[in-house]
Amino acid sequence: MAHIVVLGAGLGGVPMALEARRELRREDTITVISDSPTFHFTPSNPWVAVNWRKPDAIKVELEPMLAKRNIDFIHCAAKKVHPEENAVELTDGRKIEYDFLVIATGPELAFDEIEGLGPHGGYTQSVCHVDHAAEAGADWETFVENPGPIIVGAVQGASCFGPAYEFAFIMEHELRKRKIRDKVPMTFVTSEPYIGHLGLEGVGDTKSMLESEMRDRDIKWITSARVKKVEDGVMHVEEVADDGSVKKTHELPFAYSMMLPAFRGVEAVRDVEGLVNPKGFVTVDKMQRNEAHPNIFSVGVCVAIPPVGQYPVPVGVPKTGFMIESMVRATAKNIRAIIDGEEPKSEATWNAVCLADFGNRGVAFVAIPQIPPRNVNWAAEGRWVHLAKLGFENYFLGKMRRGVNEPFYERAVLDMLGITKTKALADEQAE
């Protein structure tokens, strides 16, 4: 009997536990450790931030759902991972031993790297966590009573740009609905070298698409931007040239701002020798396995991925939902292979299938694989994307509430479309 511990219960951790339950033997035990009693659907956070969703509508109680699948749940934060002991130390003093550990913690939000950034002790909002989005929604209602300039975007070192674009367009749409758009100048500030880069050198024609959307909605933008500090109502920004010199400085007034921060690894894994890179992200091989500690795997945003390209302002690589699901599938198969005495051979495809909602329309893209060069590089826009994201939210939350990671019909449809999650399966289909 093997004991598999999954550290984290977000978009990586919960699917990981459910996939492991399906892939592993009946006698193997699975334990999920999380500092939150609920799973929440992070892609809906921008809707929460303008009060189109209540936080409870996108949450799922973890313990009863996991119990239905014979998965144990511990509601407690992890203090430190101890690979030499094959144990996770919890903040309540317990140590949970494991045969295999899957780190799926997500990131720590590095608001403190920029003075005045963030909702706690700072002057900007966040949509990275449902609680932050709820706070942003409360401040949004105050803002619309006395509207003024908006600044939205992502700071240097950020690696998740989609929600910034989504929130900019969702706010703009909501302002039009309230008939106060004319009172709100909007500026998009991003570390990306150009609009639509997304940390991926673009997907399809996202540069032209997103620039066009911004022009149509009269949203100004500043790219290659480095936020120096944020004061109450003023953001200090440097616009950086290709050679790294400061091309222009801006003092941007705002009445409301949402800026995505940079990410780093959580404290429980930071500084663990052989496990993480200098930013605290877990280093893994092609099998999602840490080379120094081969019974430790990692999935999701906490995985270390080198940046795509070199730019004067740091730009990270996003870990999108489907990409994370491919990590989950490969990890479950590889753990089972090791238990069976075989060599792991399942490699995640890291394909990306994304729906970005803009309030009443949106942009969808498919990148196979996510990191260029690609076999498929496609993007499209329209009202259908907005409707598709609404449907996907309902579908995914339904799966989580039932404790199902991937129904057979979902797997069959994706395989039929050639959108696979592991390279072993892709190779078999090619043969």
Side-chain angles (χ1 to χ4, degrees):
M1 182 179 76
H3 182 208
I4 295 85
V5 170
V6 179
L7 185 56
L11 287 172
V14 173
M16 182 68 244
L18 296 173
E19 186 73 12
R21 181 73 286 162
R22 177 164 64 177
E23 191 71 35
L24 302 184
R25 303 169 303 182
R26 184 183 298 272
E27 64 266 28
D28 295 326
T29 58
I30 302 169
T31 301
V32 174
I33 299 172
S34 175
D35 60 356
S36 171
T38 59
F39 165 87
H40 68 270
F41 187 59
T42 306
S44 293
N45 286 350
W47 293 339
V48 173
V50 291
N51 301 301
W52 292 1
R53 290 289 184 280
K54 297 293 184 185
D56 286 347
I58 63 168
K59 291 182 179 180
V60 178
E61 289 291 330
L62 285 167
E63 188 165 18
M65 182 272 286
L66 293 172
K68 289 190 299 184
R69 298 300 173 185
N70 195 27
I71 299 171
D72 297 327
F73 177 66
I74 298 174
H75 175 207
C76 187
K79 183 178 181 180
K80 208 70 180 177
V81 171
H82 298 281
E84 71 285 355
E85 301 176 30
N86 290 326
V88 178
E89 180 184 0
L90 306 183
T91 54
D92 65 5
R94 285 181 289 172
K95 281 191 175 180
I96 309 301
E97 296 182 349
Y98 58 81
D99 295 301
F100 297 92
L101 173 65
V102 183
I103 299 172
T105 59
E108 181 175 282
L109 307 176
F111 294 116
D112 59 306
E113 292 183 352
I114 298 173
E115 181 184 346
L117 188 72
H120 303 301
Y123 304 102
T124 62
Q125 303 298 328
S126 163
V127 294
C128 295
H129 191 279
V130 66
D131 294 342
H132 293 163
E135 292 180 40
D139 283 356
W140 176 256
E141 292 304 320
T142 301
F143 165 78
V144 295
E145 294 299 320
N146 186 25
I150 284 178
I151 301 174
V152 59
V155 306
Q156 57 271 25
S159 57
C160 184
F161 298 93
Y165 286 100
E166 283 192 295
F167 195 51
F169 294 128
I170 286 169
M171 285 192 294
E172 199 275 343
H173 181 69
E174 177 67 6
L175 292 170
R176 287 182 186 272
K177 286 171 59 179
R178 292 176 180 260
K179 308 299 184 184
I180 56 172
R181 177 66 181 90
D182 59 313
K183 299 179 181 179
V184 183
M186 297 183 69
T187 305
F188 192 83
V189 174
T190 180
S191 55
E192 299 162 274
Y194 54 83
I195 292 298
H197 180 279
L198 303 172
L200 297 169
E201 295 185 341
V203 180
D205 198 19
T206 50
K207 181 179 188 294
S208 295
M209 283 183 181
L210 292 174
E211 283 186 353
S212 177
E213 289 284 349
M214 288 194 171
R215 280 191 290 266
D216 287 347
R217 300 171 188 242
D218 196 29
I219 299 174
K220 311 302 181 187
W221 65 78
I222 301 172
T223 55
S224 294
R226 182 164 54 218
V227 178
K228 296 298 292 181
K229 68 176 180 179
V230 185
E231 297 175 317
D232 189 5
V234 179
M235 186 176 295
H236 298 265
V237 177
E238 292 179 344
E239 191 174 348
V240 180
D242 290 343
D243 62 2
S245 63
V246 177
K247 182 166 61 175
K248 189 175 182 180
T249 60
H250 303 265
E251 291 187 0
L252 303 173
F254 67 87
Y256 188 92
S257 177
M258 194 294 295
M259 296 294 292
L260 298 177
F263 294 164
R264 61 183 172 225
V266 301
E267 188 174 353
V269 300
R270 281 205 306 267
D271 305 320
V272 176
E273 187 175 353
L275 184 62
V276 297
N277 70 6
K279 290 287 287 183
F281 294 112
V282 181
T283 58
V284 297
D285 62 14
K286 292 182 178 181
M287 306 301 148
Q288 302 299 134
R289 183 167 63 167
N290 179 256
E291 293 186 354
H293 308 288
N295 64 336
I296 297 181
F297 293 75
S298 187
V299 302
V301 181
C302 56
V303 170
I305 300 179
V308 177
Q310 297 295 320
Y311 302 100
V313 181
V315 176
V317 177
K319 290 92 169 182
T320 58
F322 192 87
M323 181 187 192
I324 294 171
E325 289 187 31
S326 76
M327 296 180 185
V328 164
R329 172 79 66 80
T331 298
K333 286 184 172 295
N334 287 331
I335 291 175
R336 178 59 192 263
I338 295 169
I339 290 173
D340 291 343
E342 302 172 1
E343 281 296 312
K345 64 177 183 179
S346 293
E347 183 181 341
T349 56
W350 287 15
N351 295 334
V353 180
C354 275
L355 301 170
D357 176 57
F358 294 168
N360 62 342
R361 48 190 290 111
V363 169
F365 64 80
V366 177
I368 302 179
Q370 176 170 293
I371 297 172
R374 303 183 178 108
N375 297 315
V376 177
N377 189 42
W378 172 87
E381 59 183 325
R383 179 167 172 75
W384 68 270
V385 181
H386 170 71
L387 299 174
K389 184 152 187 177
L390 290 171
F392 182 71
E393 176 199 49
N394 184 60
Y395 173 70
F396 195 92
L397 282 168
K399 290 197 303 179
M400 293 299 98
R401 292 184 177 113
R402 298 193 310 274
V404 177
N405 181 43
E406 186 183 64
F408 73 91
Y409 49 82
E410 177 184 332
R411 185 174 299 202
V413 169
L414 289 173
D415 289 348
M416 185 172 58
L417 293 172
I419 304 174
T420 57
K421 293 184 180 178
T422 61
K423 289 190 177 180
L425 177 59
D427 293 342
E428 290 169 11
Q429 289 179 335
E431 293 172 1

